[in-house]
Amino acid sequence: EAARRELGEKEFNQEFNATFESYGQLVAYAWNRENNLKQLEKPGLSELHIGMDFNFSPLTACVMVKQGPDMYVIDELHLVDSRTQEIADEIKRRYPNSKITVYPDPSSRQRKTSANGQTDFTILQNAGFTVKAPLAHDAVRDRINALNARLKSSAGTHHLFVDPKCKHTIESLEKYSYKPQTQIPDKGQFDHQFDALSYAIAYIFPLKREREPSAPQRFTHR
């Protein structure tokens, strides 16, 4: 039952029902406008969670509010020909009074885009943000599964919603696809906003197994 709540429908059926699942071409296969497109009325801005993907163009971010098990994407940033310092300044301009946690691409620990040799990670920290990222990249499949599980779990619950104004995020969820006849995401035009969103979701809601370790039980052992 814990797995049914945590895993997406296809992952649950494959792991527990021993079915062969075809994932089709869309990466965010669980996305559905009817269920996942929702505007949060008067969102509380005291604490924000921001997923971020680093590219010279575009530099992207998804701004989210957490309410219990639910995440609401309330805003997005899609900056062309930009730098990390610029997106940090824009976030502070839009949300000057919010406590902000950023979940960036793990490569930000080493990636340097400032003239004085600062990494993207330290630029965000120096901007006053709490920065959380794994020491190394999660498997791409794990991030994809974590995101789909929040869009719709095997139990049929929805815990990830996107404001209709977030056009780039919606386009990414609806158009980011696998290369034909493969399970390899087609990196290019529609992956950046998806990556920004999935870095945060996979960190906050990692897919895990809630099982206590135990010794094997045999007739000769107590």
Side-chain angles (χ1 to χ4, degrees), residues 15-178:
E15 292 197 26
F16 288 87
N17 295 332
T19 62
F20 178 80
E21 295 295 322
S22 173
Y23 287 81
Q25 286 300 108
L26 289 181
V27 175
Y29 68 82
W31 163 261
N32 182 289
R33 284 198 175 208
E34 182 178 349
N35 298 320
N36 302 111
L37 200 63
K38 182 186 298 186
Q39 182 180 31
L40 183 62
E41 296 293 336
K42 298 181 180 179
L45 302 179
S46 60
E47 185 172 358
L48 300 177
H49 301 269
I50 300 180
M52 189 176 294
D53 185 42
F54 295 106
N55 299 278
F56 175 65
S57 185
L59 185 57
T60 58
C62 286
V63 182
M64 289 170 278
V65 171
K66 186 175 184 292
Q67 290 193 347
D70 298 335
M71 295 293 286
Y72 291 83
V73 180
I74 63 168
D75 197 6
E76 65 181 10
L77 290 92
H78 188 94
L79 306 185
V80 177
D81 297 338
S82 187
R83 298 291 185 182
T84 305
Q85 187 62 58
E86 292 177 349
I87 199 170
D89 292 341
E90 177 61 18
I91 290 171
K92 290 195 295 183
R93 185 191 68 79
R94 294 188 189 187
Y95 305 102
N97 302 315
S98 301
K99 177 183 176 182
I100 294 173
T101 302
V102 179
Y103 306 84
D105 178 344
S107 67
S108 63
R109 294 178 182 274
Q110 287 81 38
R111 182 173 179 268
K112 297 180 180 180
T113 57
S114 67
N116 62 3
Q118 286 184 306
T119 66
D120 292 324
F121 201 92
T122 56
I123 290 172
L124 296 173
Q125 288 179 319
N126 291 338
F129 306 147
T130 299
V131 185
K132 296 184 178 182
L135 294 177
H137 278 281
D138 296 330
V140 174
R141 170 57 62 187
D142 289 344
R143 279 198 293 114
I144 291 173
N145 288 345
L147 182 62
N148 279 304
R150 302 316 292 178
L151 289 171
K152 182 182 179 182
S153 73
S154 177
T157 57
H158 309 280
H159 294 296
L160 178 58
F161 308 97
V162 180
D163 192 292
K165 73 178 182 181
C166 298
K167 304 298 185 183
H168 292 290
T169 302
I170 295 169
E171 183 178 46
S172 181
L173 290 168
E174 293 183 340
K175 295 184 179 181
Y176 187 29
S177 60
Y178 294 106

